[in-house]
Amino acid sequence: VVTESLEIKKLVLADAAPHIGPEAWLSSNTSGLSLAAMGEALPADLRPRFFGSHFFNPPRYMKQIELIPGPDTDPGVLDRVSDFGSLRLGKGVVRAKDTPNFVANGIGVHSILQTVAVMADMGLTTEEVDALTGPAIGRPNTATFKLADLVGLDTFVHVADNLHPLIPDDEARDAFLCPDYLREMVKKGLLGRKSGGGFYRMEKTAEGRKFFTIDVESMEYREKQKAKFGELDAARPVEDLGERLRQLAFGKGKAGQAIWKMLAASFSYSAMRLGEICDQAAEIDQAVCWGFNWELGPFEVWDTLGFRKVTERMREDGLPLPPWVDALYDSGAE
């Protein structure tokens, strides 16, 4: 467990290799670096017992662990590790392939950056985005920008930058280019909670706590504003998440348009990556639910909104879809 630098990880693994017993497992807790590249630092007889184990932070609270085999990992070893993670550690285990950023970070970071793109396209405020991407659609109170502040903006930019050069053939590659204001915030040390301020900042005054939001144009803080969406107010009393999602995603107002764009981008990207980053749709859903605390994953939401209705609208919007979605649609699946 060392910093996310391939060269540093290879040095540590090479130093550890002579001390690893004949039955021991060797693993790196990486959030997205290549296991194949790390394995090059190890002797051939140790590589079958080497794998990636991505614990989500903080591991004492977060349920997920992604297990990632290298090219030489013994499947039996990974099966035993999976049982250990599930039965002894109480984790939700997702089997990922050795692709950049694996499953949860790939899908989750894409979703966040697409949300940022929708924000710019529709002229939404930071507070409005967080109102639209939190509990209203089955996601945590941290929503989008509170989550970025919690994770750390420098970490978030690092994850996105790590992915972009490694996916030259990804149709959504440019979605991982962070906006200039995000880089400027990192440059200024506005990293989120760990630096005292990111997208949001709290100050203690004689009257109590006061909250501020950054203006990404001026890089100055202003008083936090309340997001006002009639569609959200109307949907708030709806307890059933599926019914609430249908009401919001197909709404005709600004909130409905924004939520549809955010969700549809995630549906498309998840569908295009299936088979590439993991083999089952359920693994993508489990990864983002356990890793990002979403109530429903992208494929579950797609089903909830109506598989055929969503697919037809995505086709109208010109979003990329893989052949298996067309085949499923042509089979008459609902």
Side-chain angles (χ1 to χ4, degrees), residues 4-5 31 33 101 153-163 178:
E4 282 288 88
S5 161
S31 61
L33 297 177
N101 282 6
L153 272 61
D154 53 342
T155 301
F156 185 77
V157 170
H158 173 79
V159 171
D161 285 350
N162 173 56
L163 191 56
C178 291

Side-chain angles (χ1 to χ4, degrees), residues 11-22 26 41-43 45-46:
L11 282 171
V12 173
L13 291 168
D15 283 348
H19 307 284
I20 302 298
L26 180 62
L42 300 174
D45 64 333
L46 183 49

Side-chain angles (χ1 to χ4, degrees), residues 175 184 200 283 331:
E184 183 65 19
Y200 297 101
E283 290 172 324
S331 74

Side-chain angles (χ1 to χ4, degrees), residues 248-311:
L248 288 170
F250 299 133
K252 302 300 182 184
K254 193 173 185 180
Q257 293 173 37
I259 288 172
W260 165 257
K261 287 183 177 182
M262 295 169 189
L263 292 177
S266 190
F267 300 156
S268 170
Y269 191 71
S270 299
M272 293 295 289
R273 298 286 78 77
L274 188 59
E276 179 183 315
I277 61 175
C278 60
D279 290 325
Q280 299 181 48
E283 290 172 324
I284 287 179
D285 283 345
Q286 288 170 342
V288 293
C289 288
W290 288 335
F292 286 83
N293 282 332
W294 294 3
E295 288 187 45
L296 298 174
F299 293 112
E300 291 172 309
V301 177
W302 191 341
D303 273 352
T304 296
L305 296 180
F307 171 71
R308 302 187 75 77
K309 184 175 183 178
V310 167
T311 302

Side-chain angles (χ1 to χ4, degrees), residues 230-247:
E231 292 161 275
L232 283 185
D233 293 338
R236 197 167 284 118
V238 180
E239 292 187 10
D240 181 77
L241 177 57
E243 185 180 341
R244 190 164 71 246
L245 282 167
R246 288 187 289 273
Q247 183 173 321

